[in-house]
Amino acid sequence: EIGNLEPGDDEFLRKAADFRDAVLAHIRQEEEHEFPHLREALAPEDAEQLNAEVHAFRRSFGAVRTA
């Protein structure tokens, strides 16, 4: 569906923003419910690596969570 739209079109931009928002909502869900269990189970250096990778991914979407 989005493949039929021009990148500058309003519809394309709306769908891209909706997709970005859905991905960020999924990330928030994982951070709040799944990652705490992972961090407890991981060695400290592995937990730090997980945090760094999550933050890098969030920055790639232009949304860094400060909390």
Side-chain angles (χ1 to χ4, degrees):
E1 187 176 323
I2 199 168
N4 297 326
L5 301 172
E6 292 296 319
D9 290 347
D10 288 341
E11 182 71 6
F12 177 90
L13 296 173
R14 186 184 63 74
K15 288 185 180 292
D18 289 347
F19 177 72
R20 182 201 61 223
D21 293 345
V23 169
L24 291 173
H26 179 81
I27 291 170
R28 276 191 298 279
Q29 178 73 15
E30 286 187 342
E31 286 178 335
E32 293 171 5
H33 298 284
E34 305 300 327
F35 285 8
H37 301 293
L38 275 172
R39 287 184 183 109
E40 290 175 8
L42 292 173
E45 60 274 3
D46 294 332
E48 284 183 36
Q49 180 67 32
L50 175 63
N51 284 334
E53 290 177 14
V54 167
H55 287 289
F57 184 77
R58 281 181 146 283
R59 279 191 299 277
S60 74
F61 272 86
V64 177
R65 187 171 161 185
T66 57

